[in-house]
Amino acid sequence: MEKFKYPDINPLRIEMSDECQVYKGLEGICVKESRICYIDGKGSRLYYRGYNIMDLVEHSKYEEVVYLLLFGELPSREELESFERKLASKRRLPDGLRGLIRSLPKDSDPMDFLRTTVSAMSLFDDGGDETEKGIGLIAKAPVMLAEFHRYRSGLEPLEPREELSQAGNFLYMMFGKVPEGSEERVMDRAFLLLADHGLCASTFASLVTASTLADIYASITTAIGTLAGPLHGGANLQVLKMLEEVGSPDRAESYVEGMLKSGKRIWGFGHRVYKNFDPRYRAFKRMAREMAELRGRMDLFETAEKVEEAALKRLAHKNIYPNVDFYSGLVYYFLGIPQDLAITMFAISRMAGWVAHILEYWEQNRLIRPKAKYVGELDKKYVPIEER
Ligand code: ACO
């Protein structure tokens, strides 16, 4: 048989790939076809599987929307009940994972905690296909976060309750009492509103990992790492800090003026896709107002509203409007959720969208492997270390 011959390499000719175009931030690039989420950035509309988010938040509960994201259709009553039972049955944490949680430093950054424990979930995996594992992640992530809250606060661990909804069980495990209906509904809506948002940075990052055929735990761990940054998930926490700094409604104008004059950004404003109001912002604002009234903290709500007005006056001409994070942090605050858990709240809600996109991507998987346009030098003369 003839011996295989590798192609010749011309030592004098270097193929430069400098024709490639650079798309900074991958703006405008589509990496897959998707049926999960559509964002109408100019028209201020968001759709999950073709349904307007405002209809879903008005009429559906979170579990229904998770089913919709994962399986493509709204469930029948029987399908929903069976899916709720499945989610509830997957909430209990394996003993090893509980032990791990209680061995971590109590002052762990909550996003570091979540990233670490989601990653560790693969070590306690109880089988099933990737969809089952994904549903397990959606079911367990809020339980792990509540367990972390109890542990670092010196509270006894609690068992999840199967008869409660995802939102109800989360609040029960956080605070040790079954929540009022109104609180549970607000929590449920907050989960629902953040359940997906197309190929945001964290979802895209999860697909990069998934595209190598690494498993769902590795892919979601990547997503959590990406969500942690202040330009993405971290903004809701920054909004709360900003409102603390502002202090009262009458200081909003001068605060915003000062921030913009010194070249700083107003947290909770601006979005890569929305060039108009983020529709989720409206829903969160309504809930923030309801909760502020309930808690007797209209002062805080009014401070936020004044900052919003002052920023809009100065930024709307650039199409910079409030995004989902402007009021979401306040809603969590009024629910009693500690400020530093704000980003993890985003993460446990988005778990549904991450899982849905990963499963969809695997249906037509292609390794994601972009390239960088090389602009450095070539063929430099090698200088031995003694002569440098
Ligand atoms: N405050 C003040 N000015 C802003 C803001 C803001 N929040 N956002 C954008 N701008 C200005 C920029 O300074 C820039 O002005 P210039 O053209 O005069 O230089 C212009 O608007 C365009 O800004 P870009 O950074 O190019 O817009 P991009 O699409 O890259 O940024 C981003 C989007 C990162 C969200 C940005 O608006 C921002 O930093 N916002 C604050 C952080 C935030 O709220 N993040 C949450 C996003 S939503 C989410 O991930 C859940």
Side-chain angles (χ1 to χ4, degrees):
M1 209 165 67
E2 207 179 316
K3 216 175 151 208
F4 178 80
K5 243 181 118 242
Y6 284 96
D8 285 336
I9 295 169
N10 180 347
L12 300 175
R13 216 184 89 235
I14 294 159
E15 298 277 353
M16 285 290 286
S17 56
D18 53 2
E19 318 78 43
C20 81
Q21 170 122 24
V22 174
Y23 296 91
K24 279 197 172 170
L26 298 186
E27 225 170 322
I29 304 290
C30 293
V31 298
K32 67 163 178 166
E33 288 185 344
S34 179
R35 297 179 191 284
I36 298 174
C37 181
Y38 181 69
I39 305 167
D40 172 7
K42 282 198 187 126
S44 189
R45 278 185 286 259
L46 169 62
Y47 298 87
Y48 290 169
R49 299 275 188 187
Y51 294 97
N52 192 310
I53 185 97
M54 299 318 263
D55 285 333
L56 292 172
V57 80
E58 198 59 35
H59 306 294
S60 276
K61 58 196 291 206
Y62 174 66
E63 284 83 346
E64 237 176 311
V65 166
V66 176
Y67 185 100
L68 173 70
L69 290 169
L70 295 185
F71 304 114
E73 298 292 345
L74 282 170
S76 65
R77 186 161 300 283
E78 293 73 46
E79 285 167 334
L80 177 60
E81 282 169 8
S82 141
F83 186 60
E84 285 173 326
R85 279 197 299 276
K86 176 179 276 205
L87 272 172
S89 72
K90 286 180 181 281
R91 277 187 200 136
R92 204 180 170 283
L93 304 182
D95 290 342
L97 193 54
R98 290 176 98 169
L100 174 76
I101 291 173
R102 289 188 171 254
S103 72
L104 295 172
K106 285 189 172 165
D107 61 353
S108 299
D109 174 275
M111 281 299 271
D112 291 346
F113 161 82
L114 195 65
R115 196 190 59 242
T116 303
T117 47
V118 162
S119 175
M121 272 180 70
S122 69
L123 307 174
F124 301 99
D125 180 45
D126 48 9
D129 62 13
E130 297 295 309
T131 307
E132 286 296 312
K133 290 174 197 202
I135 296 172
L137 275 156
I138 297 165
K140 286 188 179 67
V143 173
M144 294 199 300
L145 189 58
E147 173 83 7
F148 173 61
H149 168 68
R150 300 191 71 76
Y151 160 57
R152 71 176 187 171
S153 315
L155 298 166
E156 283 302 306
L158 283 177
E159 289 299 324
R161 286 179 46 174
E162 293 204 8
E163 78 283 12
L164 297 176
S165 67
Q166 283 282 106
N169 183 67
F170 174 67
L171 292 176
Y172 161 71
M173 291 195 68
M174 285 288 292
F175 306 119
K177 70 177 180 62
V178 175
E180 300 283 324
S182 57
E183 289 171 341
E184 182 187 353
R185 186 69 186 128
V186 166
M187 187 69 261
D188 183 87
R189 285 181 169 151
F191 278 158
L192 186 160
L193 285 164
L194 288 170
D196 192 48
H197 207 237
L199 279 213
C200 60
S202 54
T203 306
F204 173 65
S206 78
L207 296 186
V208 174
T209 302
S211 81
T212 70
L213 299 185
D215 71 6
I216 201 153
Y217 298 111
S219 307
I220 301 271
T221 304
T222 304
I224 297 173
T226 308
L227 184 68
L231 294 189
H232 189 7
N236 58 10
L237 178 58
Q238 302 300 333
V239 172
L240 286 177
K241 288 186 181 158
M242 178 175 79
L243 295 180
E244 252 169 29
E245 278 176 43
V246 178
S248 58
D250 57 305
R251 295 196 52 232
E253 272 288 336
S254 57
Y255 179 87
V256 169
E257 182 79 36
M259 289 287 280
L260 293 178
K261 264 203 179 129
S262 58
K264 297 209 177 96
R265 294 193 169 201
I266 305 300
W267 297 105
F269 264 73
H271 199 280
R272 180 60 65 79
V273 184
Y274 293 111
K275 299 303 165 199
N276 198 331
F277 291 96
D278 179 335
R280 302 165 301 170
Y281 136 85
R282 290 181 194 272
F284 268 112
K285 183 172 180 179
R286 213 170 40 227
M287 293 195 286
R289 188 197 300 273
E290 276 168 29
M291 291 298 290
E293 273 169 7
L294 205 69
R295 302 281 189 249
R297 286 302 312 269
M298 280 307 282
D299 57 316
L300 196 49
F301 179 79
E302 279 160 15
T303 303
E305 211 172 27
K306 289 285 179 220
V307 171
E308 179 194 339
E309 279 168 24
L312 264 179
K313 248 194 283 174
R314 292 162 178 87
L315 294 172
H317 72 279
K318 290 191 195 176
N319 289 335
I320 306 291
Y321 290 97
N323 61 47
V324 63
D325 280 334
F326 197 78
Y327 285 100
S328 64
L330 265 190
V331 168
Y332 299 142
Y333 174 78
F334 289 136
L335 283 170
I337 293 161
Q339 274 194 29
D340 67 339
L341 297 191
I343 318 171
T344 47
M345 294 306 297
F346 188 161
I348 62 175
S349 315
R350 185 56 55 84
M351 201 63 71
W354 288 331
V355 171
H357 280 278
I358 291 166
L359 295 176
E360 184 187 61
Y361 194 79
W362 275 333
E363 284 168 18
Q364 297 189 19
N365 190 63
R366 180 151 177 88
L367 177 72
I368 297 175
R369 204 306 189 186
K371 58 184 182 180
K373 178 173 176 168
Y374 181 70
V375 293
E377 296 173 65
L378 288 172
D379 283 340
K380 293 172 81 173
K381 187 171 165 3
Y382 184 80
V383 184
I385 195 160
E386 302 75 28
E387 295 169 30
R388 280 175 224 160

